[in-house]
Amino acid sequence: CPAAEEPVLLAELKPGRPQRYDWKSSCETWSVAFSPDGAWFAWSQGHCVVKLIPWPLGEAELGCKTSERKSRGSKAETWSRGAAKEKTLECGQIVWGLAFSAWPAAEDGDTDPACAMGLPCLVLATGLNDGQIKVWEVQTGHLLFSLLGHQDVVRDLSFAPNGSPILVSASRDKTLRVWDLSRNVLFSSGDTFLLSPGRQVQVLSGHVQWVYCCSISPDCSMLCSAAGEKSALLWSMRSYTLIRRLEGHQSSVVSCDFSPDSALLVTASYDACVIMWDPYTGEQLRTLRHVPLHSMLDSSSEIHTSSLRSVCFSPEGLYLATVADDRLLRIWALELRSPVAFAPMTNGLCCMYFPHGGFIATGTRDGHVQFWTAPRVLSSLKHLCRKALRTFLTTYQVLALPIPRKLKEFLTYRTF
């Protein structure tokens, strides 16, 4: 696999509000998210604010290196691209996690205001500093409802990728919680009773440290969670029970992601390593080590600056992106042990691929979001066949097929 072109910075969006340094302002961008259809981008820009931005960005943004967006309450700058307009969500608390999902269309006789007139709509869940999860309707920017239950910061959120209204939240209270947003809950407000969507269906306990990250597999069968521990936990999304502990890292695991066919799982740790796992067997398939690139770093830098912050798969499943404290965005090809491309960035905290490929969004400690070019690849017919088969076959089912051993190794990603 030849080296890919280095990522090019297309745009950098900055908060328009003045920087404040008290803890309540929290200007970091801990989370960025693209909607599944690629039509919206959500940016936790700090100061308790989330920006909802129609995608693609306008030519003015993509044609220059930096672009500031001013935020002045009701006078927030907006621009129209068709019916879509930029929106500012005032969350009232520091925002840590973001996740999009399509809300199912309302049925006949359903008075759910989230989807009027039987039309599906897009929702955004925001995980907040006080343990609340606020769910917003994207097209209008209206707050739909809040989910209460966590006792500390909601650090990450993950919707079931199959479009079902199942949401998993990860918190500093050391638990994960599973919510069914289609279930109605009756609660009292003064002398009246109100009907609110959203019901907590399960609390997953097993971590002894803050839970940093959660990821549901694309086939919706598994959930991986990462906390301030050396092992990641793998859960069943059918029985909500622990399947296994994934042990192999030497320091806290802080990020995890499944491949698009659910056949691979990657975990990133402060030990400066990404481990690629077979989630069905628990085997370690490959370790990617973040070796400091001294030419890119200050001479006073130490080895710990390679501590990882985030890892994510590309949409076709052939590349990984990682962000580390050594101020580099790295792109990795699935079959190689060294990065195929990298770019210097400052204080990166998170990264996410555009759902249709070609772009990566990264968030930084100063509240900025950056958009980078990413390698575009035409998947081979072999990989497309493997991806299609692994979407519905587990590793054990592949190994039971009456096919040659080398083909089994290819289908189970053991031919690196």
Side-chain angles (χ1 to χ4, degrees):
C1 180
E5 292 184 8
E6 307 297 349
V8 175
L9 181 62
L10 295 175
E12 182 173 6
L13 308 182
K14 303 178 181 180
R17 297 185 175 182
Q19 298 290 336
R20 293 169 53 198
Y21 296 98
D22 61 288
W23 70 271
K24 291 182 180 179
S25 69
S26 181
C27 64
E28 296 102 348
T29 293
W30 285 101
S31 187
V32 295
F34 287 102
S35 62
D37 62 359
W40 289 90
F41 176 75
W43 163 33
S44 168
Q45 67 171 35
H47 308 286
C48 308
V49 170
V50 171
K51 277 295 183 72
L52 279 171
I53 302 172
W55 189 272
L57 297 179
E59 292 182 6
E61 284 85 0
L62 290 178
C64 62
K65 290 293 184 183
T66 61
S67 173
E68 291 198 5
R69 298 182 175 276
K70 306 298 181 183
S71 301
R72 295 194 177 95
S74 62
K75 297 183 179 180
E77 177 190 6
T78 63
W79 82 100
S80 175
R81 193 167 299 116
K85 293 184 179 181
E86 178 184 321
K87 296 169 183 65
T88 300
L89 307 182
E90 299 280 355
C91 296
Q93 289 280 330
I94 298 168
V95 181
W96 293 84
L98 300 171
F100 280 102
S101 182
W103 189 280
E107 298 177 358
D108 292 340
D110 195 340
T111 58
D112 186 349
C115 294
M117 303 179 66
L119 297 175
C121 65
L122 188 67
V123 298
L124 176 73
T126 55
L128 307 182
N129 200 68
D130 62 356
Q132 282 192 77
I133 301 166
K134 291 187 176 181
V135 181
W136 310 76
E137 203 277 300
V138 171
Q139 197 63 39
T140 63
H142 293 157
L143 176 64
L144 297 177
F145 53 87
S146 297
L147 302 174
L148 305 178
H150 281 298
Q151 305 302 309
D152 207 335
V153 172
V154 177
R155 184 63 184 81
D156 196 24
L157 297 164
S158 181
F159 273 104
N162 63 0
S164 67
I166 298 297
L167 173 68
V168 174
S169 54
S171 172
R172 283 186 181 176
D173 66 12
K174 306 175 185 177
T175 70
L176 298 117
R177 292 173 190 253
V178 183
W179 311 83
D180 184 347
L181 302 193
S182 68
R183 304 288 184 89
N184 290 327
V185 177
L186 193 66
F187 66 97
S188 61
S189 177
D191 296 329
T192 62
F193 287 90
L194 303 175
L195 200 62
S196 171
R199 182 174 76 88
Q200 180 177 289
V201 296
Q202 194 74 32
V203 178
L204 304 181
S205 300
H207 288 291
V208 296
Q209 300 292 338
W210 294 350
V211 190
Y212 290 125
C213 182
C214 59
S215 179
I216 301 176
S217 62
D219 67 2
C220 297
S221 68
M222 295 172 285
L223 167 71
C224 183
S225 58
E229 304 158 9
K230 296 179 182 180
S231 58
L233 300 188
L234 193 66
W235 309 82
S236 168
M237 281 296 289
R238 297 187 176 99
S239 62
Y240 300 124
T241 56
L242 182 65
I243 298 173
R244 65 172 52 89
R245 291 181 178 270
L246 299 173
E247 299 181 340
H249 283 290
Q250 303 304 309
S251 188
S252 299
V253 184
V254 294
S255 183
C256 56
D257 195 26
F258 285 93
S259 61
D261 59 5
S262 304
L264 296 173
L265 170 68
V266 287
T267 55
S269 166
Y270 286 158
D271 65 10
C273 290
V274 169
I275 296 181
M276 195 178 301
W277 310 82
D278 183 321
Y280 295 102
T281 66
E283 294 174 74
Q284 295 184 36
L285 302 180
R286 166 155 294 186
T287 299
L288 307 177
R289 304 184 187 280
H290 285 60
V291 179
L293 302 177
H294 297 291
S295 61
M296 301 297 297
L297 301 174
D298 187 292
S299 59
S300 63
S301 296
E302 298 177 2
I303 191 77
H304 73 267
T305 58
S306 291
S307 294
L308 280 154
R309 292 289 171 178
S310 185
V311 61
C312 61
F313 265 100
S314 62
E316 81 293 323
L318 289 173
Y319 288 94
L320 295 171
T322 58
V323 170
D325 283 348
D326 61 3
R327 301 178 183 177
L328 289 173
L329 167 66
R330 288 175 172 85
I331 309 294
W332 308 76
L334 203 61
E335 69 272 22
L336 299 179
R337 294 184 184 274
S338 299
V340 295
F342 58 86
M345 62 176 297
T346 55
N347 301 319
L349 290 175
C350 59
C351 60
M352 187 178 193
Y353 269 91
F354 180 61
H356 307 307
F359 301 99
I360 297 172
T362 58
T364 72
R365 280 196 179 277
D366 49 16
H368 298 193
V369 63
Q370 299 170 324
F371 298 98
W372 305 83
T373 58
R376 287 189 177 274
V377 60
L378 185 62
S379 298
S380 67
L381 183 58
K382 284 173 57 179
H383 176 67
L384 290 174
C385 291
R386 173 172 60 185
K387 185 177 173 183
L389 285 170
R390 291 310 309 272
T391 298
F392 64 89
L393 290 180
T394 70
T395 299
Y396 296 113
Q397 289 171 327
V398 170
L399 295 176
L401 293 174
I403 57 178
R405 179 176 58 85
K406 286 189 176 181
L407 187 52
K408 291 182 181 181
E409 291 175 350
F410 174 76
L411 292 175
T412 57
Y413 292 89
R414 283 158 173 81
T415 55
F416 290 132

